[in-house]
Amino acid sequence: MHIPDGFLSTPVWTAMNIAAAPAVGVMARRAQRGFDHERIPLLGVMGAFVFAAQMINFPVAVGASGHLLGGALLAYTLGPAAAAVTMTAILAIQALVFQDGGILALGANVVNMALLGVLVAWLPYRWWGAGRWRRPAIFLGAALSVMVSAAAAISQLLLSGIPMPEAILGVSLGVFAVSALLEGAITVAVAGALETMQPDLLRKPAGGSFAVGALAGGAVLLAVVGVLFASARPDGLERLAEDIGISEQASALVATPLADYEAAFFEGEWLRKAAAGITGLLLIFGACVAWGRFAARKRSA
């Protein structure tokens, strides 16, 4: 789902960057309202967990894979504003450190996943998440977050003048639809597990709980063990790029030693992936905790 550099035209990625910057600023200011120190551990752990989950691709169709986006899960545990800021931090570190998603295309990825994806996920939960439709609302929001993010990415490619035959576009939408269903199912399962461990976690998130510790342990397991089972198939957007013949247009503005989630300075494949995963967890956790402390201080002031 991450758009690399080289796919979008200059006017499109410029417009997306111009739109994303103030929008994230607004979300950051909104997140500061009512934010306190008790939520800082959950903020850091949720960011790390979603980052780790995004590393694990799973097969969704012949020749294609998907992975958890996590915008809905962030929205349900942190609220939509803090979720948007957290997802922005994840996307920025992925682009700058792991070369996953373009640096020039960062604004587009933020708009697609951190803004549109999170807000669309939040609406069903906001409207129906308190009653008997709670689980369907969680599922629907998570599924919609994938489809809306995918539709936005495809629209940006089309606006950039990239031709897409109807047959290929239809197959790609089918792949995204399967990913959306799996996103919904995984989100319901994780949210249910969290509420079993701490019944009021989604309503009154706080740090220091068993649920937060379980999330931290899960993030480490995904980064260290889960990478062994991740599918090597291209994800939905990568498969679409291959099918329409633009894969070779992808470019990286900077070279990093952790590109493609592998620490190049280690020899063993598992060690390269695990080291990159742990590094990512620490970077995301640190960035989210730092922002959480800043937000808490601003609120106190």
Side-chain angles (χ1 to χ4, degrees):
M1 194 69 74
H2 298 66
I3 301 175
D5 285 329
F7 282 13
L8 301 180
S9 65
T10 300
V12 171
W13 64 253
T14 300
M16 290 297 101
N17 285 325
I18 291 173
V24 172
V26 170
M27 298 302 275
R29 287 193 294 272
R30 289 183 64 88
Q32 290 173 10
R33 303 173 189 172
F35 194 90
D36 55 50
H37 286 281
E38 290 186 354
R39 300 181 64 193
I40 293 175
L42 180 63
L43 189 74
V45 168
M46 282 304 306
F49 181 84
V50 168
F51 168 82
Q54 288 190 3
M55 291 179 61
I56 313 302
N57 281 43
F58 44 79
V60 296
V62 177
S65 67
H67 60 74
L68 187 77
L69 289 187
L73 193 58
L74 290 175
Y76 304 153
T77 53
L78 304 175
V85 176
T86 302
M87 182 64 82
T88 299
I90 293 171
L91 293 170
I93 289 174
Q94 286 173 331
L96 295 170
V97 178
F98 299 97
Q99 293 181 219
D100 187 10
I103 295 175
L104 297 178
L106 180 58
N109 290 322
V110 166
V111 168
N112 299 346
M113 290 180 276
L115 297 174
L116 293 178
V118 166
L119 293 177
V120 167
W122 175 251
L123 291 178
Y125 184 78
R126 175 68 178 81
W127 292 333
W128 304 302
R132 58 179 180 143
W133 296 101
R134 183 174 182 77
R135 287 194 175 186
I138 290 174
F139 179 91
L140 177 62
L144 284 175
S145 71
V146 174
M147 293 306 297
V148 168
S149 296
I154 290 173
S155 298
Q156 290 153 7
L157 294 175
L158 289 171
L159 287 172
S160 297
I162 295 176
M164 293 189 193
E166 290 185 7
I168 292 177
L169 184 57
V171 170
S172 297
L173 290 175
V175 170
F176 287 126
V178 175
S179 296
L181 294 176
L182 291 172
E183 179 94 11
I186 294 171
T187 303
V188 169
V190 174
L194 292 176
E195 290 188 311
T196 298
M197 289 182 280
Q198 184 177 333
D200 61 347
L201 180 67
L202 301 191
R203 298 179 179 87
K204 295 172 61 179
S209 68
F210 176 74
V212 173
L215 280 168
V220 172
L221 283 174
L222 286 172
V224 174
V225 179
V227 292
L228 295 173
F229 306 98
S231 173
R233 298 176 185 178
D235 67 18
L237 187 60
E238 292 171 338
R239 173 65 187 272
L240 174 62
E242 290 179 1
D243 289 344
I244 60 180
I246 63 169
S247 294
E248 67 278 2
Q249 295 182 24
S251 61
L253 297 184
V254 295
T256 72
L258 296 174
D260 297 323
Y261 300 100
E262 292 193 6
F265 34 82
F266 289 116
E267 292 187 3
E269 181 180 0
W270 171 79
L271 189 57
R272 290 199 303 268
K273 292 181 177 179
I278 293 297
T279 301
L281 294 186
L282 293 174
L283 289 173
I284 297 294
F285 181 84
C288 292
V289 166
W291 180 83
R293 290 177 176 173
F294 171 78
R297 284 198 301 268
K298 291 286 287 184
R299 178 177 179 265
S300 299

